[in-house]
Amino acid sequence: MKATAKARANIALVKYWGKLNTDLNIPAVGSISITLDKLWTETEVEFGKSISADTFFLNNEARKDQLDRVISCLDILRSHAKVSYAARVVSHNNFPTGAGLASSASGFAALTMAAARSLGLNFPPNKLSIIARQGSGSAARSIFGGFVEMHVGSKGDGSDSFAEPILSSDDWPLEVVVAITERKEKEVSSRIGMAKSELTSPYYGEWVKTSPIDLNSVREAIQAQDFEQLAEVAELNCLKMHAVAIASQPPLVYWNSATVACIHAVRELRRSGIPVFFTIDAGPQIKAVCTPGVSKNVEKVLRDIPGVLDTLVTGLGPGVEEI
Ligand code: DP6
């Protein structure tokens, strides 16, 4: 009983930050993301009578710190399949883990698909999305490719809190330049950071209240393929999320000096007529979203900024797949 799945990371253009229900991991706000082709996790899951306990290896290292979250996800699938076998989970990320590059998104999407298939469960994508959400909210979006929207839903049991695709990558093949400004894992995870913001940030209430405006505007921009509108609202929403985080106690400043230098460089490029905008998740990395014709130019500018350690360019990718 073994299966392997590959899922890609995604970056949010309208961010998820805050929860409605911690036990079921239901988000407090909807979100919209793009799935990135070249940043992925591959996960093999094997269930069996001969396996005595659940284990989780990431990039050849046993990760006991992550095991509880992996087990919760496995438990959901075990209860669907009505089995109690333990599992061996072996995962590989092809990009830095836990540094604000959405490794939990690709990780839990790949885990959900691989564990479901190895138990013989043939769930439709929205069901996989609900299960992946319980591992990590952003993982619900990595079940799908291209442009994806995650819904808060209205049911208390989370059964309508799932993601769905809104536009395919072929329809609007944007590209993303990722500028890596730090390789080590961040000190405060998104999970802990958003919990702190919920409890202590004076801006949290406004964040939740104004999120639907950004969602409508970004959805509309994607449907109309209006880059300028997408750029304006996505940057605003990103800065709003970071303002909420920065005003938390203790303050959550996920940026370093290279992150700030990249923000200014991207804004300067856009002012000069180059179709590009930035977004940043709970970490110091910058993602510059642009139209395909300009990604080389954007990469060249970001690569020369002091503190930028590496860059990579990726197109938009497909949803989770069994391999
Ligand atoms: C800043 O999905 O990592 O990247 O549900 O607690 O696992 P948990 O949180 P997670 O949070 C992602 C936060 C974000 C914004 C986003 O991806 O929408």
mmCIF file of all heavy atoms in Angstrom, residues 12 14-17 19 25 31 69 104 135-139 141 190-191 194 241 281-282, ligand 1:
data_model
loop_
_atom_site.group_PDB
_atom_site.id
_atom_site.type_symbol
_atom_site.label_atom_id
_atom_site.label_comp_id
_atom_site.label_asym_id
_atom_site.label_seq_id
_atom_site.Cartn_x
_atom_site.Cartn_y
_atom_site.Cartn_z
ATOM 1 N N ALA A 12 0.152 33.359 -2.350
ATOM 2 C CA ALA A 12 -1.145 34.027 -2.272
ATOM 3 C C ALA A 12 -1.033 35.452 -2.787
ATOM 4 O O ALA A 12 -0.092 36.180 -2.452
ATOM 5 C CB ALA A 12 -1.620 34.020 -0.831
ATOM 6 N N VAL A 14 -4.019 37.254 -2.620
ATOM 7 C CA VAL A 14 -4.839 37.772 -1.513
ATOM 8 C C VAL A 14 -4.593 36.770 -0.392
ATOM 9 O O VAL A 14 -4.806 35.563 -0.566
ATOM 10 C CB VAL A 14 -6.340 37.834 -1.875
ATOM 11 C CG1 VAL A 14 -7.158 38.351 -0.688
ATOM 12 C CG2 VAL A 14 -6.563 38.738 -3.078
ATOM 13 N N LYS A 15 -4.107 37.261 0.730
ATOM 14 C CA LYS A 15 -3.546 36.363 1.739
ATOM 15 C C LYS A 15 -4.563 35.803 2.726
ATOM 16 O O LYS A 15 -5.537 36.475 3.085
ATOM 17 C CB LYS A 15 -2.504 37.104 2.587
ATOM 18 C CG LYS A 15 -1.462 37.864 1.819
ATOM 19 C CD LYS A 15 -0.427 36.959 1.233
ATOM 20 C CE LYS A 15 0.682 37.758 0.565
ATOM 21 N NZ LYS A 15 1.506 36.893 -0.299
ATOM 22 N N TYR A 16 -4.230 34.609 3.183
ATOM 23 C CA TYR A 16 -4.895 33.967 4.326
ATOM 24 C C TYR A 16 -4.057 34.297 5.556
ATOM 25 O O TYR A 16 -2.873 33.998 5.599
ATOM 26 C CB TYR A 16 -4.952 32.470 4.025
ATOM 27 C CG TYR A 16 -4.874 31.507 5.184
ATOM 28 C CD1 TYR A 16 -5.691 31.638 6.306
ATOM 29 C CD2 TYR A 16 -3.997 30.415 5.117
ATOM 30 C CE1 TYR A 16 -5.612 30.710 7.341
ATOM 31 C CE2 TYR A 16 -3.924 29.486 6.135
ATOM 32 C CZ TYR A 16 -4.721 29.646 7.250
ATOM 33 O OH TYR A 16 -4.639 28.724 8.269
ATOM 34 N N TRP A 17 -4.649 34.946 6.531
ATOM 35 C CA TRP A 17 -3.934 35.248 7.786
ATOM 36 C C TRP A 17 -4.983 35.315 8.887
ATOM 37 O O TRP A 17 -5.690 36.300 9.018
ATOM 38 C CB TRP A 17 -3.168 36.582 7.643
ATOM 39 C CG TRP A 17 -2.149 36.826 8.732
ATOM 40 C CD1 TRP A 17 -2.232 37.725 9.755
ATOM 41 C CD2 TRP A 17 -0.885 36.170 8.887
ATOM 42 N NE1 TRP A 17 -1.105 37.647 10.543
ATOM 43 C CE2 TRP A 17 -0.258 36.706 10.030
ATOM 44 C CE3 TRP A 17 -0.218 35.152 8.178
ATOM 45 C CZ2 TRP A 17 1.001 36.286 10.473
ATOM 46 C CZ3 TRP A 17 1.028 34.725 8.614
ATOM 47 C CH2 TRP A 17 1.619 35.297 9.741
ATOM 48 N N LYS A 19 -7.589 32.524 11.624
ATOM 49 C CA LYS A 19 -8.473 31.353 11.556
ATOM 50 C C LYS A 19 -9.814 31.614 12.229
ATOM 51 O O LYS A 19 -9.889 32.317 13.228
ATOM 52 C CB LYS A 19 -7.809 30.163 12.255
ATOM 53 C CG LYS A 19 -6.496 29.725 11.606
ATOM 54 C CD LYS A 19 -5.870 28.577 12.362
ATOM 55 C CE LYS A 19 -4.384 28.433 12.097
ATOM 56 N NZ LYS A 19 -3.989 27.840 10.843
ATOM 57 N N ASN A 25 -9.125 23.973 11.340
ATOM 58 C CA ASN A 25 -8.294 24.837 10.502
ATOM 59 C C ASN A 25 -9.110 25.502 9.387
ATOM 60 O O ASN A 25 -8.770 25.444 8.206
ATOM 61 C CB ASN A 25 -7.103 24.058 9.921
ATOM 62 C CG ASN A 25 -5.923 24.986 9.663
ATOM 63 O OD1 ASN A 25 -5.722 25.981 10.373
ATOM 64 N ND2 ASN A 25 -5.166 24.697 8.628
ATOM 65 N N SER A 31 -8.887 33.415 0.204
ATOM 66 C CA SER A 31 -7.581 33.786 -0.352
ATOM 67 C C SER A 31 -7.527 33.395 -1.823
ATOM 68 O O SER A 31 -8.316 32.553 -2.277
ATOM 69 C CB SER A 31 -6.453 33.122 0.442
ATOM 70 O OG SER A 31 -6.666 31.731 0.557
ATOM 71 N N ARG A 69 1.552 17.041 13.112
ATOM 72 C CA ARG A 69 0.698 17.569 12.030
ATOM 73 C C ARG A 69 0.525 16.539 10.922
ATOM 74 O O ARG A 69 -0.550 16.406 10.339
ATOM 75 C CB ARG A 69 1.298 18.856 11.458
ATOM 76 C CG ARG A 69 1.051 20.043 12.352
ATOM 77 C CD ARG A 69 1.691 21.291 11.822
ATOM 78 N NE ARG A 69 0.972 21.878 10.705
ATOM 79 C CZ ARG A 69 1.323 23.026 10.131
ATOM 80 N NH1 ARG A 69 2.361 23.701 10.562
ATOM 81 N NH2 ARG A 69 0.617 23.513 9.118
ATOM 82 N N SER A 104 4.743 24.264 3.414
ATOM 83 C CA SER A 104 3.660 23.494 4.037
ATOM 84 C C SER A 104 2.510 23.317 3.043
ATOM 85 O O SER A 104 1.787 22.333 3.106
ATOM 86 C CB SER A 104 3.184 24.126 5.349
ATOM 87 O OG SER A 104 2.514 25.331 5.118
ATOM 88 N N GLY A 135 -4.428 19.995 7.252
ATOM 89 C CA GLY A 135 -2.983 19.930 7.499
ATOM 90 C C GLY A 135 -2.397 21.333 7.528
ATOM 91 O O GLY A 135 -1.690 21.718 8.447
ATOM 92 N N SER A 136 -2.737 22.115 6.505
ATOM 93 C CA SER A 136 -2.250 23.494 6.403
ATOM 94 C C SER A 136 -3.203 24.244 5.470
ATOM 95 O O SER A 136 -3.505 23.755 4.372
ATOM 96 C CB SER A 136 -0.835 23.485 5.826
ATOM 97 O OG SER A 136 -0.287 24.778 5.874
ATOM 98 N N GLY A 137 -3.662 25.417 5.922
ATOM 99 C CA GLY A 137 -4.675 26.148 5.165
ATOM 100 C C GLY A 137 -4.269 26.395 3.721
ATOM 101 O O GLY A 137 -5.066 26.200 2.789
ATOM 102 N N SER A 138 -3.026 26.798 3.512
ATOM 103 C CA SER A 138 -2.586 27.122 2.150
ATOM 104 C C SER A 138 -2.482 25.867 1.278
ATOM 105 O O SER A 138 -2.520 25.952 0.048
ATOM 106 C CB SER A 138 -1.253 27.864 2.192
ATOM 107 O OG SER A 138 -0.335 27.148 2.978
ATOM 108 N N ALA A 139 -2.361 24.683 1.899
ATOM 109 C CA ALA A 139 -2.263 23.442 1.129
ATOM 110 C C ALA A 139 -3.552 23.137 0.369
ATOM 111 O O ALA A 139 -3.525 22.480 -0.677
ATOM 112 C CB ALA A 139 -1.931 22.279 2.064
ATOM 113 N N ARG A 141 -5.095 25.046 -1.430
ATOM 114 C CA ARG A 141 -4.991 25.672 -2.757
ATOM 115 C C ARG A 141 -4.051 24.899 -3.677
ATOM 116 O O ARG A 141 -4.202 24.935 -4.897
ATOM 117 C CB ARG A 141 -4.525 27.130 -2.612
ATOM 118 C CG ARG A 141 -5.459 27.996 -1.751
ATOM 119 C CD ARG A 141 -4.997 29.448 -1.728
ATOM 120 N NE ARG A 141 -3.609 29.579 -1.373
ATOM 121 C CZ ARG A 141 -3.135 30.291 -0.336
ATOM 122 N NH1 ARG A 141 -3.962 30.965 0.450
ATOM 123 N NH2 ARG A 141 -1.841 30.342 -0.102
ATOM 124 N N SER A 190 3.954 30.604 10.168
ATOM 125 C CA SER A 190 2.693 31.289 9.832
ATOM 126 C C SER A 190 1.637 30.956 10.871
ATOM 127 O O SER A 190 0.864 31.813 11.294
ATOM 128 C CB SER A 190 2.162 30.829 8.477
ATOM 129 O OG SER A 190 3.108 31.002 7.498
ATOM 130 N N ARG A 191 1.601 29.684 11.268
ATOM 131 C CA ARG A 191 0.561 29.231 12.208
ATOM 132 C C ARG A 191 0.634 30.019 13.515
ATOM 133 O O ARG A 191 -0.362 30.548 13.994
ATOM 134 C CB ARG A 191 0.733 27.730 12.465
ATOM 135 C CG ARG A 191 -0.251 27.202 13.461
ATOM 136 C CD ARG A 191 -0.480 25.736 13.270
ATOM 137 N NE ARG A 191 -1.115 25.445 12.000
ATOM 138 C CZ ARG A 191 -1.669 24.285 11.690
ATOM 139 N NH1 ARG A 191 -1.660 23.305 12.578
ATOM 140 N NH2 ARG A 191 -2.221 24.081 10.530
ATOM 141 N N MET A 194 0.016 33.962 12.827
ATOM 142 C CA MET A 194 -1.373 34.425 12.647
ATOM 143 C C MET A 194 -2.159 34.328 13.952
ATOM 144 O O MET A 194 -3.021 35.153 14.225
ATOM 145 C CB MET A 194 -2.063 33.761 11.442
ATOM 146 C CG MET A 194 -2.333 32.309 11.500
ATOM 147 S SD MET A 194 -3.233 31.749 10.009
ATOM 148 C CE MET A 194 -1.926 31.500 8.839
ATOM 149 N N MET A 241 -1.404 42.648 5.144
ATOM 150 C CA MET A 241 -1.129 41.481 5.989
ATOM 151 C C MET A 241 0.113 41.716 6.848
ATOM 152 O O MET A 241 0.136 41.422 8.048
ATOM 153 C CB MET A 241 -0.929 40.225 5.144
ATOM 154 C CG MET A 241 -0.749 38.983 5.993
ATOM 155 S SD MET A 241 0.093 37.629 5.157
ATOM 156 C CE MET A 241 1.768 37.844 5.744
ATOM 157 N N ASP A 281 5.200 36.336 1.600
ATOM 158 C CA ASP A 281 4.451 35.600 2.616
ATOM 159 C C ASP A 281 5.159 35.737 3.965
ATOM 160 O O ASP A 281 5.886 36.694 4.160
ATOM 161 C CB ASP A 281 4.233 34.159 2.154
ATOM 162 C CG ASP A 281 3.150 34.109 1.066
ATOM 163 O OD1 ASP A 281 2.185 34.881 1.183
ATOM 164 O OD2 ASP A 281 3.283 33.341 0.114
ATOM 165 N N ALA A 282 4.940 34.803 4.869
ATOM 166 C CA ALA A 282 5.496 34.959 6.220
ATOM 167 C C ALA A 282 6.969 34.561 6.233
ATOM 168 O O ALA A 282 7.379 33.564 6.813
ATOM 169 C CB ALA A 282 4.692 34.118 7.194
HETATM 170 C C1 DP6 B 1 1.340 34.101 4.881
HETATM 171 O O1 DP6 B 1 -1.117 27.712 5.415
HETATM 172 O O2 DP6 B 1 1.124 27.961 6.510
HETATM 173 O O3 DP6 B 1 1.549 32.191 3.503
HETATM 174 O O4 DP6 B 1 -3.001 26.771 8.076
HETATM 175 O O5 DP6 B 1 -1.620 27.324 10.057
HETATM 176 O O6 DP6 B 1 -0.704 25.802 8.296
HETATM 177 P P1 DP6 B 1 -1.601 26.963 8.595
HETATM 178 O O7 DP6 B 1 -0.979 28.235 7.882
HETATM 179 P P2 DP6 B 1 -0.300 28.363 6.440
HETATM 180 O O8 DP6 B 1 -0.377 29.965 6.280
HETATM 181 C C2 DP6 B 1 -0.017 30.620 5.105
HETATM 182 C C3 DP6 B 1 0.028 32.075 5.368
HETATM 183 C C4 DP6 B 1 0.606 32.921 4.250
HETATM 184 C C5 DP6 B 1 -0.481 33.490 3.363
HETATM 185 C C6 DP6 B 1 -1.127 32.535 2.393
HETATM 186 O O9 DP6 B 1 -0.476 31.593 1.915
HETATM 187 O O10 DP6 B 1 -2.305 32.779 2.075
#
